[in-house]
């Protein structure tokens, strides 16, 4: 079974600064996907970024980028130029590839507060 | 707006009531999921439907009964619930392609359920 660990329950960052959220996972699979989702106070779960394990290049989406270290089973999220709207719970998730349906395993989340 | 809608957004019910949660996706996906999100716990996968067939049931009590009449709609029928079933219930959908990049899950806004 896969496990996903987010060791930072809460973090705070000032507006315009950079913050990095940590995530580690445990799996015996070689092919898989990793995701970061954000859940703002509205409770809507929103996809932030996705990384395919077979790709060596780190994924980027505007101000969001990841540091994917496959050997270390680490998948951190960097948010640059933080904005107030980035305040949310951030969940790291692992997806094992399956022929029938994709199944996500989530971490417990990191609550990020962006302050003025 | 992710293309996945859920109704109702809030529901309060007694332990003897029968109610249903509805999820609809407008993304042309062929797999749908129910998750339970309780306070201070990781998201728990409850049910998975792929091509309208249930492919996963993660030891969910029988008081939760899913129904997937077509690839766009998913229901969760509730009866004789317990107070510990109070949680946010999230629906998601994805396009199953045998492991391609379109396996990303997109979530609805959730139904906040309170069982009295």
């Amino acid at each position: 079974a896969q496990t996903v660990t987010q060791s930072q329950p809460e973090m705070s960052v000032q507006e315009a600064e950079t913050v990095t959220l940590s995530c580690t996972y445990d799996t015996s699979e070689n092919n898989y996907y990793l995701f970061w989702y954000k859940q703002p106070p509205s409770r809507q779960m929103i996809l932030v970024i996705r990384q395919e394990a077979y790709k060596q290049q780190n994924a980027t989406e505007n101000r969001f980028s990841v540091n994917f270290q496959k050997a270390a089973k680490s998948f951190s999220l960097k948010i640059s130029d933080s904005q107030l709207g980035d305040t949310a719970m951030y969940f790291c998730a692992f997806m094992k590839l399956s022929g029938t349906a994709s199944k996500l395993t989530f971490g417990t989340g990191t609550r990020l507060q962006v302050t003025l | 707006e992710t293309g996945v809608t859920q109704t109702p957004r809030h529901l309060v019910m007694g332990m003897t009531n029968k109610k249903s949660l509805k999820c609809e996706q407008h993304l042309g996906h062929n797999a749908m999921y129910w998750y339970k999100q309780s306070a201070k716990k990781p998201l728990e996968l409850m049910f998975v439907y792929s091509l309208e067939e249930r492919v996963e049931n993660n030891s969910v009590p029988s008081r939760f009964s899913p129904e997937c009449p077509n690839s766009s709609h998913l229901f969760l029928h509730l009866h004789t619930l317990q107070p510990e079933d109070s949680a946010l219930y999230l629906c998601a959908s994805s396009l199953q392609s045998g492991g391609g990049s379109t396996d990303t899950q997109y979530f609805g806004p959730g139904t906040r359920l309170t069982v009295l």
Side-chain angles (χ1 to χ4, degrees):
Chain A
Q2 286 68 230
T3 59
V4 177
T5 302
Q6 294 179 251
S7 59
Q8 304 153 313
E10 295 184 1
M11 294 193 72
S12 180
V13 63
Q14 285 193 317
E15 198 176 21
E17 297 295 310
T18 295
V19 64
T20 299
L21 309 184
S22 301
C23 174
T24 58
Y25 59 95
D26 188 23
T27 184
S28 58
E29 302 289 329
N30 190 48
N31 292 321
Y32 50 87
Y33 290 136
L34 295 163
F35 301 85
W36 279 98
Y37 284 90
K38 68 180 279 190
Q39 189 177 39
S42 67
R43 309 300 279 176
Q44 175 80 58
M45 192 74 75
I46 302 165
L47 175 69
V48 175
I49 201 165
R50 175 185 63 210
Q51 174 79 45
E52 291 88 343
Y54 64 86
K55 289 186 176 179
Q56 293 185 339
Q57 186 173 9
N58 289 325
T60 62
E61 284 289 342
N62 301 312
R63 297 182 296 107
F64 298 88
S65 62
V66 298
N67 183 4
F68 174 47
Q69 302 290 329
K70 190 173 183 179
K73 296 180 182 176
S74 170
F75 183 62
S76 61
L77 174 69
K78 185 172 80 171
I79 306 175
S80 303
D81 186 27
S82 297
Q83 301 175 0
L84 295 176
D86 296 332
T87 293
M89 281 290 288
Y90 285 80
F91 292 95
C92 178
F94 172 99
M95 188 178 83
K96 171 185 172 182
L97 300 185
S98 167
T100 53
S102 58
K103 301 169 190 176
L104 284 171
T105 301
F106 284 86
T108 51
T110 295
R111 185 177 301 281
L112 177 67
Q113 180 72 47
V114 180
T115 60
L116 292 171
Chain B
E1 190 64 44
T2 63
V4 182
T5 59
Q6 290 186 243
T7 55
R9 295 293 306 277
H10 301 273
L11 178 63
V12 179
M13 58 187 291
M15 289 190 285
T16 58
N17 292 156
K18 290 184 179 181
K19 297 287 186 183
S20 295
L21 310 185
K22 178 182 176 182
C23 175
E24 184 173 1
Q25 59 92 5
H26 310 273
L27 301 170
H29 290 168
N30 55 13
M32 298 187 78
Y33 311 78
W34 279 117
Y35 288 88
K36 176 183 179 182
Q37 186 177 27
S38 305
K40 300 183 180 179
K41 293 177 69 176
L43 272 79
E44 302 170 63
L45 178 63
M46 300 175 71
F47 301 104
V48 180
Y49 276 83
S50 179
L51 301 175
E52 301 162 33
E53 289 191 25
R54 190 190 312 179
V55 297
E56 185 95 5
N57 177 346
N58 275 348
S59 304
V60 179
S62 59
R63 57 185 184 269
F64 294 91
S65 176
E67 179 189 3
C68 188
N70 55 62
S71 59
S72 298
H73 295 85
L74 183 66
F75 295 89
L76 188 62
H77 304 299
L78 317 170
H79 63 97
T80 59
L81 295 190
Q82 304 299 309
E84 60 264 28
D85 297 321
S86 298
L88 181 71
Y89 289 85
L90 292 166
C91 172
S93 70
S94 70
L95 182 65
Q96 295 312 116
S97 59
S101 62
T102 51
D103 282 349
T104 299
Q105 292 184 24
Y106 294 89
F107 285 79
T111 295
R112 170 66 67 186
L113 173 67
T114 302
V115 181
L116 301 176

mmCIF file with all atom_site columns, all heavy atoms in Angstrom, chain B residues 39-50:
data_model
loop_
_atom_site.group_PDB
_atom_site.id
_atom_site.type_symbol
_atom_site.label_atom_id
_atom_site.label_alt_id
_atom_site.label_comp_id
_atom_site.label_asym_id
_atom_site.label_entity_id
_atom_site.label_seq_id
_atom_site.pdbx_PDB_ins_code
_atom_site.Cartn_x
_atom_site.Cartn_y
_atom_site.Cartn_z
_atom_site.occupancy
_atom_site.B_iso_or_equiv
_atom_site.pdbx_formal_charge
_atom_site.auth_seq_id
_atom_site.auth_comp_id
_atom_site.auth_asym_id
_atom_site.auth_atom_id
_atom_site.pdbx_PDB_model_num
ATOM 1  N N   . ALA B 1 39 ? -12.593 15.745 9.696   1.00 0.00 ? 39 ALA B N   1
ATOM 2  C CA  . ALA B 1 39 ? -11.622 16.649 10.318  1.00 0.00 ? 39 ALA B CA  1
ATOM 3  C C   . ALA B 1 39 ? -10.377 15.872 10.734  1.00 0.00 ? 39 ALA B C   1
ATOM 4  O O   . ALA B 1 39 ? -10.464 14.798 11.307  1.00 0.00 ? 39 ALA B O   1
ATOM 5  C CB  . ALA B 1 39 ? -12.255 17.329 11.524  1.00 0.00 ? 39 ALA B CB  1
ATOM 6  N N   . LYS B 1 40 ? -9.235  16.433 10.380  1.00 0.00 ? 40 LYS B N   1
ATOM 7  C CA  . LYS B 1 40 ? -7.936  15.913 10.813  1.00 0.00 ? 40 LYS B CA  1
ATOM 8  C C   . LYS B 1 40 ? -7.649  14.498 10.327  1.00 0.00 ? 40 LYS B C   1
ATOM 9  O O   . LYS B 1 40 ? -6.871  13.777 10.926  1.00 0.00 ? 40 LYS B O   1
ATOM 10 C CB  . LYS B 1 40 ? -7.799  15.989 12.337  1.00 0.00 ? 40 LYS B CB  1
ATOM 11 C CG  . LYS B 1 40 ? -7.904  17.411 12.866  1.00 0.00 ? 40 LYS B CG  1
ATOM 12 C CD  . LYS B 1 40 ? -7.706  17.485 14.358  1.00 0.00 ? 40 LYS B CD  1
ATOM 13 C CE  . LYS B 1 40 ? -7.809  18.934 14.834  1.00 0.00 ? 40 LYS B CE  1
ATOM 14 N NZ  . LYS B 1 40 ? -7.642  19.049 16.303  1.00 0.00 ? 40 LYS B NZ  1
ATOM 15 N N   . LYS B 1 41 ? -8.282  14.088 9.247   1.00 0.00 ? 41 LYS B N   1
ATOM 16 C CA  . LYS B 1 41 ? -8.002  12.786 8.631   1.00 0.00 ? 41 LYS B CA  1
ATOM 17 C C   . LYS B 1 41 ? -7.782  12.985 7.142   1.00 0.00 ? 41 LYS B C   1
ATOM 18 O O   . LYS B 1 41 ? -8.369  13.881 6.540   1.00 0.00 ? 41 LYS B O   1
ATOM 19 C CB  . LYS B 1 41 ? -9.172  11.819 8.852   1.00 0.00 ? 41 LYS B CB  1
ATOM 20 C CG  . LYS B 1 41 ? -9.372  11.408 10.289  1.00 0.00 ? 41 LYS B CG  1
ATOM 21 C CD  . LYS B 1 41 ? -10.594 10.519 10.440  1.00 0.00 ? 41 LYS B CD  1
ATOM 22 C CE  . LYS B 1 41 ? -10.408 9.165  9.803   1.00 0.00 ? 41 LYS B CE  1
ATOM 23 N NZ  . LYS B 1 41 ? -11.571 8.270  10.043  1.00 0.00 ? 41 LYS B NZ  1
ATOM 24 N N   . PRO B 1 42 ? -6.956  12.134 6.539   1.00 0.00 ? 42 PRO B N   1
ATOM 25 C CA  . PRO B 1 42 ? -6.789  12.231 5.081   1.00 0.00 ? 42 PRO B CA  1
ATOM 26 C C   . PRO B 1 42 ? -8.098  11.912 4.371   1.00 0.00 ? 42 PRO B C   1
ATOM 27 O O   . PRO B 1 42 ? -8.951  11.206 4.920   1.00 0.00 ? 42 PRO B O   1
ATOM 28 C CB  . PRO B 1 42 ? -5.729  11.171 4.773   1.00 0.00 ? 42 PRO B CB  1
ATOM 29 C CG  . PRO B 1 42 ? -5.096  10.846 6.067   1.00 0.00 ? 42 PRO B CG  1
ATOM 30 C CD  . PRO B 1 42 ? -6.119  11.085 7.122   1.00 0.00 ? 42 PRO B CD  1
ATOM 31 N N   . LEU B 1 43 ? -8.224  12.402 3.172   1.00 0.00 ? 43 LEU B N   1
ATOM 32 C CA  . LEU B 1 43 ? -9.387  12.035 2.366   1.00 0.00 ? 43 LEU B CA  1
ATOM 33 C C   . LEU B 1 43 ? -9.434  10.521 2.221   1.00 0.00 ? 43 LEU B C   1
ATOM 34 O O   . LEU B 1 43 ? -8.427  9.869  1.945   1.00 0.00 ? 43 LEU B O   1
ATOM 35 C CB  . LEU B 1 43 ? -9.306  12.652 0.973   1.00 0.00 ? 43 LEU B CB  1
ATOM 36 C CG  . LEU B 1 43 ? -9.876  14.040 0.810   1.00 0.00 ? 43 LEU B CG  1
ATOM 37 C CD1 . LEU B 1 43 ? -8.904  15.079 1.321   1.00 0.00 ? 43 LEU B CD1 1
ATOM 38 C CD2 . LEU B 1 43 ? -10.206 14.313 -0.656  1.00 0.00 ? 43 LEU B CD2 1
ATOM 39 N N   . GLU B 1 44 ? -10.641 9.980  2.397   1.00 0.00 ? 44 GLU B N   1
ATOM 40 C CA  . GLU B 1 44 ? -10.811 8.545  2.296   1.00 0.00 ? 44 GLU B CA  1
ATOM 41 C C   . GLU B 1 44 ? -11.623 8.225  1.049   1.00 0.00 ? 44 GLU B C   1
ATOM 42 O O   . GLU B 1 44 ? -12.725 8.732  0.881   1.00 0.00 ? 44 GLU B O   1
ATOM 43 C CB  . GLU B 1 44 ? -11.591 8.019  3.508   1.00 0.00 ? 44 GLU B CB  1
ATOM 44 C CG  . GLU B 1 44 ? -10.953 8.320  4.844   1.00 0.00 ? 44 GLU B CG  1
ATOM 45 C CD  . GLU B 1 44 ? -11.909 7.973  5.985   1.00 0.00 ? 44 GLU B CD  1
ATOM 46 O OE1 . GLU B 1 44 ? -12.252 6.783  6.120   1.00 0.00 ? 44 GLU B OE1 1
ATOM 47 O OE2 . GLU B 1 44 ? -12.321 8.877  6.719   1.00 0.00 ? 44 GLU B OE2 1
ATOM 48 N N   . LEU B 1 45 ? -11.053 7.378  0.195   1.00 0.00 ? 45 LEU B N   1
ATOM 49 C CA  . LEU B 1 45 ? -11.776 6.938  -0.985  1.00 0.00 ? 45 LEU B CA  1
ATOM 50 C C   . LEU B 1 45 ? -12.861 5.950  -0.552  1.00 0.00 ? 45 LEU B C   1
ATOM 51 O O   . LEU B 1 45 ? -12.593 4.984  0.159   1.00 0.00 ? 45 LEU B O   1
ATOM 52 C CB  . LEU B 1 45 ? -10.817 6.268  -1.962  1.00 0.00 ? 45 LEU B CB  1
ATOM 53 C CG  . LEU B 1 45 ? -11.405 5.707  -3.241  1.00 0.00 ? 45 LEU B CG  1
ATOM 54 C CD1 . LEU B 1 45 ? -12.002 6.814  -4.099  1.00 0.00 ? 45 LEU B CD1 1
ATOM 55 C CD2 . LEU B 1 45 ? -10.350 4.934  -4.020  1.00 0.00 ? 45 LEU B CD2 1
ATOM 56 N N   . MET B 1 46 ? -14.091 6.223  -0.988  1.00 0.00 ? 46 MET B N   1
ATOM 57 C CA  . MET B 1 46 ? -15.202 5.341  -0.626  1.00 0.00 ? 46 MET B CA  1
ATOM 58 C C   . MET B 1 46 ? -15.549 4.394  -1.770  1.00 0.00 ? 46 MET B C   1
ATOM 59 O O   . MET B 1 46 ? -15.568 3.179  -1.595  1.00 0.00 ? 46 MET B O   1
ATOM 60 C CB  . MET B 1 46 ? -16.419 6.184  -0.254  1.00 0.00 ? 46 MET B CB  1
ATOM 61 C CG  . MET B 1 46 ? -16.215 7.122  0.910   1.00 0.00 ? 46 MET B CG  1
ATOM 62 S SD  . MET B 1 46 ? -17.661 8.168  1.176   1.00 0.00 ? 46 MET B SD  1
ATOM 63 C CE  . MET B 1 46 ? -18.850 6.983  1.809   1.00 0.00 ? 46 MET B CE  1
ATOM 64 N N   . PHE B 1 47 ? -15.877 4.959  -2.902  1.00 0.00 ? 47 PHE B N   1
ATOM 65 C CA  . PHE B 1 47 ? -16.318 4.159  -4.040  1.00 0.00 ? 47 PHE B CA  1
ATOM 66 C C   . PHE B 1 47 ? -15.693 4.689  -5.328  1.00 0.00 ? 47 PHE B C   1
ATOM 67 O O   . PHE B 1 47 ? -15.441 5.880  -5.453  1.00 0.00 ? 47 PHE B O   1
ATOM 68 C CB  . PHE B 1 47 ? -17.844 4.212  -4.199  1.00 0.00 ? 47 PHE B CB  1
ATOM 69 C CG  . PHE B 1 47 ? -18.612 3.726  -3.013  1.00 0.00 ? 47 PHE B CG  1
ATOM 70 C CD1 . PHE B 1 47 ? -19.221 4.625  -2.153  1.00 0.00 ? 47 PHE B CD1 1
ATOM 71 C CD2 . PHE B 1 47 ? -18.750 2.362  -2.767  1.00 0.00 ? 47 PHE B CD2 1
ATOM 72 C CE1 . PHE B 1 47 ? -19.939 4.184  -1.060  1.00 0.00 ? 47 PHE B CE1 1
ATOM 73 C CE2 . PHE B 1 47 ? -19.463 1.914  -1.674  1.00 0.00 ? 47 PHE B CE2 1
ATOM 74 C CZ  . PHE B 1 47 ? -20.058 2.830  -0.815  1.00 0.00 ? 47 PHE B CZ  1
ATOM 75 N N   . VAL B 1 48 ? -15.492 3.759  -6.270  1.00 0.00 ? 48 VAL B N   1
ATOM 76 C CA  . VAL B 1 48 ? -15.015 4.124  -7.602  1.00 0.00 ? 48 VAL B CA  1
ATOM 77 C C   . VAL B 1 48 ? -15.913 3.455  -8.630  1.00 0.00 ? 48 VAL B C   1
ATOM 78 O O   . VAL B 1 48 ? -16.198 2.259  -8.522  1.00 0.00 ? 48 VAL B O   1
ATOM 79 C CB  . VAL B 1 48 ? -13.565 3.658  -7.836  1.00 0.00 ? 48 VAL B CB  1
ATOM 80 C CG1 . VAL B 1 48 ? -13.097 4.052  -9.247  1.00 0.00 ? 48 VAL B CG1 1
ATOM 81 C CG2 . VAL B 1 48 ? -12.626 4.238  -6.787  1.00 0.00 ? 48 VAL B CG2 1
ATOM 82 N N   . TYR B 1 49 ? -16.350 4.225  -9.593  1.00 0.00 ? 49 TYR B N   1
ATOM 83 C CA  . TYR B 1 49 ? -17.095 3.690  -10.722 1.00 0.00 ? 49 TYR B CA  1
ATOM 84 C C   . TYR B 1 49 ? -16.306 3.964  -11.989 1.00 0.00 ? 49 TYR B C   1
ATOM 85 O O   . TYR B 1 49 ? -15.854 5.088  -12.231 1.00 0.00 ? 49 TYR B O   1
ATOM 86 C CB  . TYR B 1 49 ? -18.475 4.337  -10.850 1.00 0.00 ? 49 TYR B CB  1
ATOM 87 C CG  . TYR B 1 49 ? -19.515 3.701  -9.975  1.00 0.00 ? 49 TYR B CG  1
ATOM 88 C CD1 . TYR B 1 49 ? -19.640 4.059  -8.630  1.00 0.00 ? 49 TYR B CD1 1
ATOM 89 C CD2 . TYR B 1 49 ? -20.378 2.728  -10.483 1.00 0.00 ? 49 TYR B CD2 1
ATOM 90 C CE1 . TYR B 1 49 ? -20.596 3.463  -7.823  1.00 0.00 ? 49 TYR B CE1 1
ATOM 91 C CE2 . TYR B 1 49 ? -21.336 2.135  -9.679  1.00 0.00 ? 49 TYR B CE2 1
ATOM 92 C CZ  . TYR B 1 49 ? -21.439 2.506  -8.354  1.00 0.00 ? 49 TYR B CZ  1
ATOM 93 O OH  . TYR B 1 49 ? -22.375 1.913  -7.559  1.00 0.00 ? 49 TYR B OH  1
ATOM 94 N N   . SER B 1 50 ? -16.099 2.941  -12.787 1.00 0.00 ? 50 SER B N   1
ATOM 95 C CA  . SER B 1 50 ? -15.444 3.094  -14.075 1.00 0.00 ? 50 SER B CA  1
ATOM 96 C C   . SER B 1 50 ? -16.353 2.499  -15.133 1.00 0.00 ? 50 SER B C   1
ATOM 97 O O   . SER B 1 50 ? -16.751 1.337  -15.013 1.00 0.00 ? 50 SER B O   1
ATOM 98 C CB  . SER B 1 50 ? -14.089 2.378  -14.080 1.00 0.00 ? 50 SER B CB  1
ATOM 99 O OG  . SER B 1 50 ? -13.462 2.495  -15.331 1.00 0.00 ? 50 SER B OG  1
#
